């Protein structure tokens, strides 16, 4: 079993300058939480709408090289696929011995796309929570799970810093919060595994379910509300997290329970089992990471084509109409 931590000593980083590089999903949420906790936070960002938002919220925004020079703690809150080039150009040249670099995912260090110098601490604090949740939980005095790891312990205190930062952003030291001792490798594998297996399959299964209901004379509105638009899924996933994957089924009608238990296993075919093992093989041997790096280098041709296909699908088109009617989309 992994080691779990529920608290940390934030005073270790209390007097340090924390430079958050990037003000997107995670960067903005963590910066706001840190500032509310009384920490010295500054933002390093390129001049774009994120920088503007940070300034509008009262943060001081520096260029990335300046922010790296000024910070004792450097938090990598920009997208994984752009980190390697930003690292080489703007981050590494401005690091000095003893700085603490925090990654929010294990991706670039595990795959060797970023090779930090030996004279800095290299820490991972990977939230198992989207940025909005990081902020919302903090405001509701609740914690959230993080996976923590250390790939270089220059100071000898890297694990303590990982816990200090986890506490400072509101992950631990609050109800529901936990830091799981992990590694850059484990975080990367588990994160990508979800994305490449059940999480992606889930979206496409719902879209296919929509097609089948429509073929069978169900109205687009009734089909979409049944499958995802009502928000019932939110209640189910909340119950899964709180009560357990199968334990939450007890809260459904017995007809529903019987349907889940008889039909659910049929979808886990030998082909699906093979695909899951193929997915993890391509994650572990770096095949997927190389494919994604190449895709970025070529200007995202496959990524853009797949998005086009999704946006042309019946489910997307009908959803657009319904969500506009419901005032969820402009
Ligand atoms: P994001 O996509 O929200 O990042 C936006 C920020 O990146 C902006 O400040 C933008 O100015 C900057 N940026 C974009 N392109 C840039 C470039 N070429 N050069 C310099 N800056 C650029 O990023 P997000 O989703 O917050 O992810 C950040 C890190 O957090 C990643 O390592 C990710 O794996 C990790 N993470 C993200 C989660 C999430 O909820 N999205 C959950 C857990 C971890």
């Amino acid at each position: 079993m992994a080691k779990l931590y529920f608290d940390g000593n934030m005073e270790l980083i209390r007097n340090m300058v924390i430079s958050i590089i990037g003000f997107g999903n995670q960067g903005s949420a963590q910066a706001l939480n840190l500032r509310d906790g009384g920490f010295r936070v500054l933002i390093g960002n390129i001049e774009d709408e994120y920088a503007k938002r940070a300034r509008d919220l009262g943060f001081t925004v520096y260029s990335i090289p300046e922010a790296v020079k000024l910070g004792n703690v450097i938090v990598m809150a920009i997208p994984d696929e752009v980190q390697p080039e930003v690292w080489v150009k703007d981050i590494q040249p401005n690091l000095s011995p003893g700085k603490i670099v925090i990654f929010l995912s294990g991706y670039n260090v595990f795959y060797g796309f970023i090779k930090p110098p030996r004279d800095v601490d290299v820490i991972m604090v990977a939230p198992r929570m989207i940025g909005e949740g990081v902020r919302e939980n903090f405001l509701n005095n609740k914690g959230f799970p993080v996976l923590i790891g250390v790939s270089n312990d220059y100071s000898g205190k890297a694990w303590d810093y990982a816990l200090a930062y986890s506490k400072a952003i509101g992950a631990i030291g609050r109800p529901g919060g936990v830091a799981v001792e992990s590694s850059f490798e484990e975080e990367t594998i588990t994160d990508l595994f979800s994305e490449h297996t059940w999480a992606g399959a889930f979206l496409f299964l719902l879209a296919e379910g929509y097609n089948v209901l429509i073929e069978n004379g169900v109205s687009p509105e009734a089909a979409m509300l049944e499958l995802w638009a009502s928000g019932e899924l939110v209640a189910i996933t909340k119950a899964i997290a709180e009560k357990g994957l199968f334990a939450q089924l007890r809260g459904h009608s017995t007809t529903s329970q019987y349907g889940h238990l008889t039909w659910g296993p049929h979808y886990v075919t030998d082909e699906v089992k093979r695909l899951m093992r193929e997915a993890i093989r391509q994650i572990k041997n770096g095949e997927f990471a190389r494919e994604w790096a190449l895709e970025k280098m070529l200007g995202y041709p496959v990524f853009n084509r797949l998005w086009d296909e999704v946006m042309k699908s019946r489910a997307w088109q009908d959803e657009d109409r319904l969500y506009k009617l419901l005032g969820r989309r402009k």
Side-chain angles (χ1 to χ4, degrees):
M1 297 295 272
K3 236 183 181 168
L4 305 182
Y5 298 91
F6 298 94
D7 213 347
N9 176 13
M10 298 194 285
E11 298 317 307
L12 284 175
I13 57 169
R14 172 70 64 195
N15 296 319
M16 295 186 179
V17 173
I18 303 175
S19 293
I20 308 278
I21 310 301
F23 200 75
N25 299 309
Q26 286 294 327
S28 62
Q30 296 190 17
L32 287 162
N33 291 0
L34 289 162
R35 185 173 70 179
D36 286 355
F39 290 90
R40 298 161 69 193
V41 186
L42 56 85
I43 309 300
N45 216 94
I46 52 176
E47 282 307 325
D48 62 3
E49 70 276 20
Y50 294 95
K52 182 179 175 315
R53 184 164 171 252
R55 287 197 183 97
D56 289 347
L57 287 168
F59 287 98
T60 310
V61 180
Y62 293 88
S63 69
I64 297 176
E66 268 313 299
V68 175
K69 279 185 213 154
L70 291 169
N72 308 101
V73 180
I74 317 298
V75 180
M76 297 291 289
I78 57 177
D80 290 320
E81 73 274 17
V82 305
Q83 285 186 21
E85 64 189 59
V86 176
W87 178 270
V88 170
K89 191 162 65 73
D90 293 335
I91 297 182
Q92 172 127 6
N94 297 297
L95 284 175
S96 48
K99 294 211 190 228
I100 300 167
V101 183
I102 298 186
F103 288 88
L104 307 181
S105 83
Y107 195 90
N108 283 303
V109 173
F110 169 57
Y111 285 122
F113 294 143
I114 290 180
K115 293 190 194 319
R118 302 306 303 167
D119 56 5
V120 297
D121 282 345
V122 183
I123 293 169
M124 176 187 75
V125 176
R128 280 296 170 266
M129 180 64 65
I130 59 169
E132 254 174 59
V134 166
R135 182 61 181 153
E136 207 176 291
N137 277 10
F138 186 88
L139 293 173
N140 292 317
N141 207 23
K142 286 191 191 144
F144 52 89
V146 285
L147 294 192
I148 58 171
V150 168
S151 94
N152 194 40
D153 189 1
Y154 177 70
S155 66
K157 289 190 278 193
W159 285 102
D160 296 328
Y161 288 142
L163 291 172
Y165 188 77
S166 302
K167 182 157 184 185
I169 59 169
I172 56 173
R174 293 158 173 251
V178 60
V180 180
E181 189 175 302
S182 180
S183 63
F184 283 64
E185 176 178 6
E186 186 177 77
E187 193 277 337
T188 306
I189 291 171
T190 51
D191 195 42
L192 294 179
F193 182 71
S194 280
E195 292 161 7
H196 298 188
T197 58
W198 70 268
F202 176 70
L203 299 183
F204 283 87
L205 271 176
L206 287 181
E208 187 53 25
Y210 180 78
N211 294 338
V212 173
L213 284 176
I214 298 291
E215 270 165 39
N216 282 274
V218 176
S219 75
E221 294 76 12
M224 207 167 286
L225 285 164
E226 169 56 34
L227 290 165
W228 66 86
S230 70
E232 192 184 7
L233 268 176
V234 179
I236 294 173
T237 46
K238 191 162 177 277
I240 287 177
E242 285 168 3
K243 296 184 181 158
L245 187 57
F246 288 102
Q248 59 81 28
L249 256 190
R250 297 272 188 208
H252 298 229
S253 71
T254 41
T255 312
S256 163
Q257 292 177 37
Y258 184 70
H260 276 75
L261 294 170
T262 50
W263 275 89
H266 289 316
Y267 292 90
V268 191
T269 60
D270 285 345
E271 176 58 6
V272 168
K273 290 181 194 168
R274 189 195 64 75
L275 274 173
M276 281 187 153
R277 283 160 181 86
E278 177 56 19
I280 204 159
R281 194 185 68 79
Q282 294 197 17
I283 293 166
K284 285 174 113 170
N285 70 11
E287 226 171 301
F288 170 78
R290 284 192 294 277
E291 174 188 323
W292 182 219
L294 183 68
E295 176 67 9
K296 179 182 177 289
M297 225 153 69
L298 298 175
Y300 301 103
V302 178
F303 184 72
N304 291 332
R305 176 173 57 74
L306 295 174
W307 258 117
D308 275 353
E309 281 173 18
V310 165
M311 290 173 78
K312 281 189 197 130
S313 70
R314 170 108 199 237
W316 178 282
Q317 299 286 332
D318 289 357
E319 181 190 80
D320 204 42
R321 264 195 301 279
L322 180 64
Y323 275 34
K324 279 177 181 152
L325 271 174
L326 295 173
R328 295 180 187 172
R329 201 177 280 168
K330 282 190 192 141

